[in-house]
Amino acid sequence: MTFSRRFVFVLLLLITGYHKCFAQQPATTPCAMPSFSSVVHDPNIFSEQQEEWLGEILDPQIRKAFNVIDDPENDYLQKIGDRLLAQLPPTKIHYSFTIIDSPESDSFGLAGGHIYLSRKIVALIQSEDELAGLLGHEIGHIITHQVAIDISRDFRNVLGVTQVGDRKDILDRWNQLIDSIAKHPQKHDEKREQQEQLIADRLALYAMTRAGYRPSAFGDFFDRLAGTKKNTGNFWSDFFGATSPESKRLRELTRISAPVPPSCITAAPSDAAVHFPKWQQAVIASKRAVFKEEIPGLVKKTSLKPPLRGELDQLQFSPDGKYLLGQDESSIFVLSHEPLANLFRIDAPDAKAAHFTPNSQAIVFYDKELRIEKWDIASQQRASIRQLTSKCLDTDLSPTGEVLACVTPDLDLQLVEVSSGKPFLSKQKFYEPTFIDLFLLELSKLLDDVEGIPNLFSTRFSPDEHYFVISRGETQFAYDLQSRSEVKLPRKIKDILTSFTFLAPDQLAGRNPKSNKLTLVRFPSGEFIDEFPFNFGGSYSKAQKGNYLLIRPAGNAAVGVMDLAAKKANMGYKSPGFAIYAPVFAGEELGGEVSLYNLSDRKLVAKVQLPDSPLSAARVASFSANGKWLAVSGRSRAAVWKLETGERALYLRDLAGAFFDQDQFIARFPKRENDPSTVFEFDPSNKQSKKLYDILSESDPLLPEGLARFSTHRVFQFGDLMVSVRPEDEKKATHNYMVEARDLRTNKTVWEHRVEKERPSFHYSPSGKTMSTVIETYEAIKQEAKSNPVLAAKLNALGNGQDKKASYVVQVTEALTGKTVGEVLVDTGKLSFKVKSAISAGDTVLVADSENRTLVYSLKSGDQVGKVFGQSRALSARGDKMLVENGKGNVDLYDTTTLQSLAHFTFPALISEAGFSGDGNSLYVLTIDQNVYNVKVPATVQSVAIH
């Protein structure tokens, strides 16, 4: 993700953990709200209008962190919310209710009436009465101004601010709070939080009762959400401190609902019992919201034809061999085998690996929200979709899609019946993590779960869904799904469960790491069948037909094939998209086609091009300065398009770098197997090409984003330069590095210099033709300050050592000369935020921080001009304008001097790449749905909507 998990955590802590309230007066009429005591007397410095402004500032941050899900009826939640609000004191705050795709069962509200429900919590709810209770609870937090009072307290304690002004003033104060929150850590008052939750519960019970809903339903829902199992505690458990806060809250929910006179109650909707489950199922099946395109100054919109499709992550035959399934990062493709032809495509973003059911009649898969879908092949329609509410660290779906294996964050093992959503096996503390396990989990958090961080556990269901096996280290467990009982495993099986798979319902193949042998045994008896030397780890799977074992990865190959009869490696394949159904195999070509070959002689049998699919991420993307051309590369293939028509001019293998020299295209291809990295020049107009040179000494594999920082030797391409960073002495563990820049056209060295104390990591601005280095370590910062008096003065002005050590320096270098042109010191307020990247052009330096903000600095003075929420997507050559994306489809063009929005845009999809024309008068934007927008840049501030 680009949005900071820490910021989401802090924000949700503010809006769900520390809820404040005002004191209610005793009820004076039979229908009045119940009285309750005040928890605190902190003042609220926000008016209702100012609360709405605060909510408008925070709302885009939530929408960037999560995808918005369409309410299938547009106003179902709004109608229930309005019914509840009608029972409460009048307010000028406008409430809105939004469904999001969080993998957690969660709901929360922001100041200004913004309330969010995860789709997962919607799935947990069982009636409209329960939904009304949940919405009433969140309304209770907001209508008592708890969030505003909480932020009022933080403004006072951290900033010394006791009043706020207009929207801009509130935005400035919120930014100041983010900048210095680490200097004034706030204590978590758990007792007060529990009291505040009870007050929101009381308001929910009152409002839902008056609105005609059954108040006991809210307690039923909370019991299910908190897992309290009707346990409300008692006098003795309270006396000994054994009653959990959740149980105490449930107890209060069951007793604080005071009777309301019938004359005060509005009749509930008569069709609620029938209406809610239909709406709920529609929410579970609903797609992500697509925003209406609003692009002022649009000159032209061009669709790339054909678009670039991502590499297949997997390819498999159906058990009966009639069908093929292919899957990339956005889609699932279903093909017929004979003849080889496309049947249909399933839109499946964020989906885990799909598979055929054992009867070959359907496909099942699930996504990050644990929505489990089943698609019927004959009708080409979705047969069912169910949402599970479990919280899982590792998961695996059974062959029929009827059972989900789930390892919870507490490392409990659950087997969940998909139809009911209930676990039929719960094995607590199934596994005790090692230090390495804990390191991997922390690393995955640090890198935002990038690809390449493996699942902790090895899991397999037998093909007939009779058995389930899970393993990690010295922990192994097997379960008989038919008898619903644990299977005691013999030592012969336990020894080979590091990497394993089922070859048949009663046969298992696994590698014994001690003997480096692949062992075949009967399951579950452990009866020996065969074994032979075998050195490949990784993930194993059985060919759908044929005595072959597939290994992913296998050395330099994405997939290796082991002939189990011959007991030797049979072949390797370059793409993860590979499957065998003897006597043929299917594989994805570098060009993107799926081909069938004979296993015996590798002769081509058939070939088909897969349909278009959204490209979620581009490895390399570049616009030409004249706006005529665009190059984009994925993991395995690339293309160049003519933007005047959108037609594809070149179709290539994947790129490590791309540069347009007027109308000529220079491409750097990465090293592949025995082929060195190579640079070619192309003329897209006539499709002629010539090889410029090989880079024989280069070793720059394209590592997953986030992991590249751990490579000792890195190569960057910045426009027409290649910049390499390597240790000064490969044989010595020093912190000194050599940086070398070479001309992309000739491979000749342009400049070279030595960097001390810290390995540099560069960020390039194609418009400014500058390289920006983020210096993180204090030793390296002090080294730079020795030769820069202005920087040294700013560093000393930070005060104590902790503030200095928590700072960053952004050093800006002319890419063509290697000359340092300026440095900017970033004060993080004792790491209230972190610096992620920086770019520069003209006198402007843009710094991206961990709180989803773009910090704007003057390179000449080193002073901060200001900050805006969102991620910078493009900077003009003069540095006077920047394009910033803040959430899905929410984009602004800013003047970098005044930080006023010159224009506001709404794109229907996220931005993949953007750039200004050389003169700065035009803007080119590529979205992930592979449309290119040519927009005229306004010179003055336009009339833009508040967002």
Side-chain angles (χ1 to χ4, degrees), residues 38-230:
S38 175
V39 177
V40 291
H41 298 281
D42 289 352
N44 176 16
I45 66 174
F46 296 88
S47 67
E48 288 192 331
Q49 175 62 76
Q50 289 170 329
E51 282 192 41
E52 287 204 335
W53 287 335
L54 178 61
E56 289 170 359
I57 291 167
L58 301 180
D59 175 66
Q61 315 313 313
I62 299 299
R63 292 175 181 267
K64 183 170 180 63
F66 307 103
N67 292 296
V68 173
I69 304 301
D70 279 322
D71 182 335
E73 296 183 18
N74 296 320
D75 61 354
Y76 181 75
L77 287 174
Q78 191 69 48
K79 286 180 177 178
I80 298 175
D82 290 344
R83 175 181 289 274
L84 296 168
L85 286 163
Q87 320 309 320
L88 299 171
T91 176
K92 294 180 181 179
I93 290 177
H94 300 86
Y95 282 75
S96 63
F97 304 87
T98 304
I99 306 169
I100 57 175
D101 70 346
S102 168
E104 309 291 335
S105 294
D106 200 5
S107 65
F108 53 89
L110 299 179
H114 298 272
I115 292 176
Y116 307 86
L117 284 77
S118 70
R119 175 156 48 189
K120 207 166 185 179
I121 206 169
V122 170
L124 187 66
I125 295 169
Q126 293 184 355
S127 67
E128 189 172 297
D129 298 81
E130 293 187 357
L131 177 59
L134 178 62
L135 294 181
H137 177 86
E138 297 304 340
I139 290 172
H141 285 312
I142 297 173
I143 205 165
T144 51
H145 308 285
Q146 294 175 6
V147 178
I149 292 173
D150 181 61
I151 295 178
S152 296
R153 187 194 65 168
D154 290 333
F155 277 10
R156 182 181 66 252
N157 294 345
V158 177
L159 305 178
V161 171
T162 57
Q163 63 180 11
V164 290
D166 59 11
R167 188 181 190 277
K168 182 180 183 302
D169 181 60
I170 295 171
L171 175 61
D172 291 342
R173 300 303 186 189
W174 178 252
N175 272 312
Q176 290 172 21
L177 181 66
I178 294 174
D179 287 341
S180 54
I181 192 68
K183 291 184 177 181
H184 307 273
Q186 304 299 296
K187 293 183 179 179
H188 182 193
D189 190 336
E190 185 174 347
K191 182 178 179 181
R192 189 168 81 178
E193 176 188 341
Q194 293 167 14
Q195 292 174 316
E196 292 157 354
Q197 296 288 2
L198 291 177
I199 291 171
D201 288 343
R202 289 183 182 183
L203 287 172
L205 290 168
Y206 167 77
M208 68 184 297
T209 302
R210 285 202 59 188
Y213 293 107
R214 180 170 51 89
S216 62
F218 187 31
D220 295 339
F221 166 72
F222 178 77
D223 180 54
R224 193 164 56 256
L225 176 68
T228 44
K229 298 180 180 179
K230 304 295 184 182

Side-chain angles (χ1 to χ4, degrees), residues 458 469 471 476 489 493-500 508 511:
S458 298
V469 181
S471 173
Q476 298 89 19
L489 296 174
I493 291 181
K494 289 183 176 182
D495 287 343
I496 63 171
L497 292 184
T498 301
S499 297
F500 70 96
L508 200 71
R511 176 175 171 267

Side-chain angles (χ1 to χ4, degrees), residues 751 753 760-765 767-775 784 788 791 808-826 837-847 857-862 875 877:
W751 54 264
H753 64 242
S761 180
F762 299 106
H763 308 277
Y764 179 65
S765 169
S767 56
K769 293 182 172 53
T770 59
M771 296 160 42
S772 297
T773 305
V774 178
I775 303 175
E784 292 299 325
N788 187 331
L791 176 63
Y808 294 79
V809 166
V810 177
Q811 184 181 75
V812 180
T813 302
E814 284 183 349
L816 296 179
T817 65
K819 176 185 176 182
T820 299
V821 293
E823 292 168 318
V824 167
L825 180 69
V826 181
S837 63
I839 59 171
S840 178
D843 186 45
T844 300
V845 180
L846 303 183
V847 176
Y857 291 84
S858 164
L859 181 61
K860 184 177 181 180
S861 68
L875 179 62

